[in-house]
Amino acid sequence: MNQTLTALEGFCVGHWTDPVGQTGCTVILGPAEGFLASASFLGPSPGNREGILLAPEKRVERVHALLFAGGSAFGLGAAEGVVRYLEERGIGYPTPAGRVPIVPAAVIFDLMAGDAKARPGPEHGYAAARVARPDPVPMGRVGAGAGAMVGKYLGYALSSPGGLGSALVEQSGVRVGALAVVNPVGDVYDLEGRVRAGPGRFREYRPVDLYGQSTTLVAVGLEVTLSKSEARMLADAAQAALARVIHPSHTPVDGDSVFVLSTTCRPATDLLLLTALVQEAVARAIVKAVA
């Protein structure tokens, strides 16, 4: 049984992985009309493309794909390949000059994990989009999680492998999926409070320059009808779930980004229930990334 993001109607995920360079990218595709979307960005170091479009007051409400990538700022170039893939299929925002695909992207810093010159580019974004399927999401050190590291506050030598995880939760007929790329400065704990990744020795921390090297990226998947403002509210609520399983979280050296994507193929539902399910799905996806 599929217990990942792609169990939701209309969601497909594809990875491109460089196991030698320890980097990669992950693409989430949806229906041709796109996802209703918004996002929340916390911390001083988020790396993203098209993020400003997702603010509730901006005109564009739907996006046609979402890209997560390694390679730090260099990895944002992989989004161009996803744009080309969608353009070839006539998918995008309608304009008098033709359809323009809207593809937000977010990246992690993984340049210390393998080869710092190995970075996802347009051809790799295209490749990930081309293999996107509704099959269960492969997890671990794949795609954008290939070079992720956890617990870097005592230095990289004592850190642990991060990765990519996905989870699905359901209650009262409402389903929520999440996909997380886990690359925080802090440790990852399981839902029972046990250290799953990282040294678990934060009391030994001494100040060190870790600026801009840590990020957790999350995509929350929904099927329900909701407004862009409600999607933003859920993205903010999802950020709180990081603190449940990452310690410390949302630090001055993290750049955490949460995207909420909905196919809006099902009726609206109770927002309190939806908030609880979003937070549970995100916490589980983070833990599964390092399982």
Side-chain angles (χ1 to χ4, degrees):
M1 179 181 295
N2 189 353
Q3 291 294 308
T4 68
L5 177 69
T6 50
L8 300 178
E9 184 176 346
F11 281 79
C12 294
V13 171
H15 299 311
W16 173 82
T17 305
D18 177 355
V20 176
Q22 295 187 48
T23 192
C25 58
T26 297
V27 175
I28 302 174
L29 298 181
E33 64 271 20
F35 300 109
L36 182 134
S38 192
S40 173
F41 304 101
L42 293 181
S45 305
N48 69 80
R49 157 199 159 114
E50 303 273 41
I52 191 64
L53 286 178
L54 302 178
E57 72 273 12
K58 303 306 180 186
R59 180 175 181 179
V60 172
E61 289 196 343
R62 290 187 174 260
V63 305
H64 303 98
L66 175 65
L67 170 80
F68 288 162
S72 191
F74 301 107
L76 291 172
E80 294 301 324
V82 185
V83 169
R84 178 165 61 88
Y85 175 86
L86 294 170
E87 181 187 27
E88 290 174 356
R89 286 151 182 80
I91 295 172
Y93 184 83
T95 78
R99 292 188 174 272
V100 178
I102 307 298
V103 182
V107 292
I108 67 167
F109 182 95
D110 59 0
L111 304 181
M112 301 290 287
D115 181 356
K117 297 296 184 181
R119 306 153 184 169
E123 68 274 27
H124 307 125
Y126 188 98
R130 186 170 52 82
V131 299
R133 299 288 185 271
D135 304 327
V137 178
M139 292 183 276
R141 293 183 70 74
V142 296
M149 303 298 291
V150 171
K152 291 166 274 190
Y153 52 84
L154 297 180
Y156 279 91
L158 295 177
S159 63
S160 300
L164 181 147
S166 186
L168 181 79
V169 297
E170 181 174 0
Q171 184 175 329
S172 302
V174 179
R175 301 192 299 174
V176 174
L179 182 150
V181 178
V182 182
N183 186 54
V185 73
D187 299 310
V188 173
Y189 289 72
D190 65 22
L191 301 182
E192 287 72 44
R194 297 169 298 211
V195 177
R196 294 298 299 270
R201 293 155 50 187
F202 191 73
R203 291 185 180 182
E204 301 175 26
Y205 167 71
R206 297 293 183 270
V208 62
D209 183 11
L210 294 167
Y211 179 76
Q213 299 175 33
S214 300
T215 307
T216 298
L217 308 178
V218 176
V220 174
L222 307 172
E223 298 166 314
V224 298
T225 298
L226 74 169
S227 69
K228 196 176 180 186
S229 294
E230 290 169 339
R232 170 59 185 273
M233 180 203 71
L234 292 171
D236 288 338
Q239 291 275 14
L242 273 63
R244 181 180 174 190
V245 290
I246 297 173
H247 177 76
S249 69
H250 301 106
T251 75
V253 298
D254 284 285
D256 301 315
S257 303
V258 176
F259 299 80
V260 170
L261 311 171
S262 183
T263 56
T264 66
C265 62
R266 297 192 178 188
T269 193
D270 180 81
L271 283 173
L272 177 56
L273 172 62
L274 208 53
T275 301
L277 293 178
V278 164
Q279 293 180 332
E280 184 70 16
V282 170
R284 292 187 185 188
I286 291 170
V287 173
K288 290 173 75 173
V290 299

